[in-house]
């Protein structure tokens, strides 16, 4: 399959009628899959109402079929087509965070969306992306679009069109290239179907920000329960992994360097994932910074790109510093834990 690449300047006017956007929208209406930029990561979009289109998403990614997809919309009014109700809590969150990196779980209407997109659950995950190119594409095609991250399943999510092509060139109809994404980690997923809202996946909107709008918010135990059936993406299977095994290291940088030296003595090429503050300290075959520890937003934005960069370095093993597990750091640590397969070394 030939994979088209449509480059679009997200700052131009009238994006909805941009020829590149219109061309990509036509492929979506033909039930082909197209990668699109969002403010979090690139998504792999397909018609959420069509089984054939959704099946192509799973096939391109190599994604397990029991992992539900997020439905992307351009207008709040679209919700009434495929959700049974919008609870008051959800309405408050929509007012505060849409468009933006927040996915909300609703009870779904039967017989509208592809059952493949919702993994046969009685709920549906929906968000409105805060990216001009994504919104233009959604408006142009006029469809609810199911879109997981546009990468091979298990690999780091793409924050550039080049990342999408590295994984999916020849497997999808096209990539709408709108430049580098901003937030860098996927959306927060919150279940508003019963009682107190429950975070199913930490992401670009923090627990503290959610609680400022709706009061008490809980976190689902299934975030760490590998046997639980997922109600949202990112709750099951290893994700985001570079080619070499990744280990999180809890302890001072001197302890991490000791681990590096030990592996080098075994003849291994070692990579270190660190931040700008500590980059000059480590002696390893490849030392990469993913941002500034004092500004965790920069770490979130660069994390996946940095994980992918280790693949070019041909390292045998990677040691990563850990980060404060609060605010956006909670999302960073959630992704690191999955990338490492929950492998943690403590001093």
């Amino acid at each position: 399959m030939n994979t088209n690449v449509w480059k679009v300047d997200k700052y131009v006017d009238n994006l909805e009628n941009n020829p590149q956007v219109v061309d990509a929208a036509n492929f979506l209406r033909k039930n082909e899959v197209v990668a699109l930029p969002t403010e979090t990561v690139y998504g792999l979009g397909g018609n959420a109402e069509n089984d054939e289109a959704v099946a192509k998403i799973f096939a391109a990614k190599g994604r397990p079929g029991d992992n539900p997809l997020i439905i992307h919309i351009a207008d709040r009014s679209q919700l009434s087509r495929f959700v049974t109700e919008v609870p008051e809590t959800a309405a408050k969150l929509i007012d505060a965070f849409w468009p933006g990196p927040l996915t909300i779980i609703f009870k779904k209407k039967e017989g509208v969306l592809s059952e493949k997109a919702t993994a046969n659950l009685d709920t549906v995950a929906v968000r409105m992306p805060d990216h001009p190119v994504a919104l233009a594409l959604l408006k142009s095609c006029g469809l609810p679009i199911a879109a997981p991250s546009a990468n091979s399943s298990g690999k780091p999510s793409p924050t550039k069109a080049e990342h999408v092509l590295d994984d999916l060139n020849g497997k999808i109809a096209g990539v709408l290239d709108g430049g580098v994404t901003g937030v860098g980690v996927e959306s927060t997923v919150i279940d508003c179907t019963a009682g107190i809202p429950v975070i199913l996946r930490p992401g670009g909107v923090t627990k503290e920000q959610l609680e400022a709008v709706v009061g008490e918010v809980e976190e689902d135990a299934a975030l760490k329960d590998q046997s639980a059936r997922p109600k949202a993406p990112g709750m099951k299977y290893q994700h985001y992994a570079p080619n070499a095994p990744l280990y999180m290291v809890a302890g001072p940088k001197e302890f991490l360097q000791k681990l590096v030296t030990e592996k080098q003595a075994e003849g291994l090429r070692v990579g270190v994932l660190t931040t700008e503050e500590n980059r000059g300290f480590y002696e390893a075959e490849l030392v990469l910074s993913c941002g500034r520890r004092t500004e965790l937003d920069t770490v979130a934005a660069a994390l996946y790109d940095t994980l992918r960069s280790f693949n070019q370095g041909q390292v045998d093993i990677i040691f990563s510093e850990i980060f404060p597990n609060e605010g956006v750091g909670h999302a960073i640590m959630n992704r690191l834990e999955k990338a490492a397969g929950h492998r943690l070394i403590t001093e």
Side-chain angles (χ1 to χ4, degrees), residues 23-71:
D23 198 19
N26 286 335
F27 275 91
L28 289 171
R29 281 192 291 267
K30 294 173 185 175
N31 297 322
E32 298 293 344
V33 292
V34 171
L36 62 146
T38 77
E39 80 283 19
T40 57
V41 300
Y42 272 76
L44 185 58
N47 181 0
E49 298 178 350
N50 183 269
D51 283 346
E52 177 189 1
V54 175
K56 288 177 180 178
I57 295 172
F58 282 101
K61 282 181 64 70
R63 183 186 179 101
D66 64 346
N67 216 354
L69 307 180
I70 292 174
I71 311 304

Side-chain angles (χ1 to χ4, degrees), residues 94-167:
I94 289 170
D95 288 340
F97 299 110
W98 278 15
L102 182 68
T103 294
I104 302 175
I105 305 283
F106 301 90
K107 288 288 186 180
K108 76 174 183 185
K109 284 183 180 176
E110 296 297 329
V112 181
L113 298 171
S114 165
E115 289 294 325
K116 294 179 184 293
T118 58
N120 295 303
L121 298 171
D122 63 358
T123 55
V124 59
V126 187
R127 92 175 184 101
M128 186 189 301
D130 188 18
H131 193 290
V133 176
L135 290 171
L137 180 64
L138 289 163
K139 291 173 183 176
S140 184
C141 72
L143 297 167
I145 296 299
S149 55
N151 56 300
S152 294
S153 191
K155 296 302 181 184
S157 298
T159 54
K160 303 176 182 177
E162 293 91 332
H163 296 164
V164 179
L165 293 170
D166 285 344
D167 284 8

Side-chain angles (χ1 to χ4, degrees), residues 107-330:
K107 288 288 186 180
K108 76 174 183 185
K109 284 183 180 176
E110 296 297 329
V112 181
L113 298 171
S114 165
E115 289 294 325
K116 294 179 184 293
T118 58
N120 295 303
L121 298 171
D122 63 358
T123 55
V124 59
V126 187
R127 92 175 184 101
M128 186 189 301
D130 188 18
H131 193 290
V133 176
L135 290 171
L137 180 64
L138 289 163
K139 291 173 183 176
S140 184
C141 72
L143 297 167
I145 296 299
S149 55
N151 56 300
S152 294
S153 191
K155 296 302 181 184
S157 298
T159 54
K160 303 176 182 177
E162 293 91 332
H163 296 164
V164 179
L165 293 170
D166 285 344
D167 284 8
L168 302 178
N169 193 16
K171 297 180 180 180
I172 61 175
V175 181
L176 195 58
D177 183 354
V180 179
T181 62
V183 177
V185 293
E186 293 84 351
S187 61
T188 302
V189 179
I190 189 165
D191 187 348
C192 290
T193 59
I196 298 171
V198 179
I199 294 173
L200 303 183
R201 180 179 74 186
V205 177
T206 68
K207 184 173 186 284
E208 294 81 3
Q209 289 173 314
L210 295 168
E211 289 181 329
V213 174
V214 296
E216 184 181 2
V217 172
E218 296 179 346
E219 291 190 335
D220 195 279
L223 279 169
K224 294 186 180 294
D225 183 357
Q226 298 299 295
S227 65
R229 191 180 189 202
K231 290 181 73 176
M235 291 178 64
K236 197 169 184 182
Y237 308 110
Q238 183 167 340
H239 288 68
Y240 323 118
N243 294 341
L246 172 69
Y247 292 82
M248 298 176 293
V249 179
K253 57 183 183 291
E254 290 81 6
F255 175 62
L256 194 154
Q257 179 60 48
K258 178 174 175 287
L259 296 173
V260 171
T261 304
E262 289 173 353
K263 291 302 177 183
Q264 288 174 323
E266 297 174 15
L268 299 182
R269 289 179 53 82
V270 184
V272 174
L273 176 61
T274 181
T275 56
E276 287 298 312
E277 291 89 339
N278 292 338
R279 184 171 61 173
F281 175 81
Y282 296 108
E283 295 181 4
E285 280 67 31
L286 184 60
V287 179
L288 296 179
S289 164
C290 61
R292 295 177 294 281
R293 182 170 291 274
T294 54
E295 299 175 64
L296 289 181
D297 286 348
T298 65
V299 175
L303 179 62
Y304 292 142
D305 186 41
T306 307
L307 287 173
R308 283 180 173 267
S309 295
F310 280 109
N311 295 341
Q312 280 73 57
Q314 298 180 326
V315 294
D316 301 306
I317 189 170
I318 304 164
F319 294 115
S320 173
E321 296 178 347
I322 61 172
F323 299 90
N325 205 353
E326 57 190 28
V328 73
H330 190 26

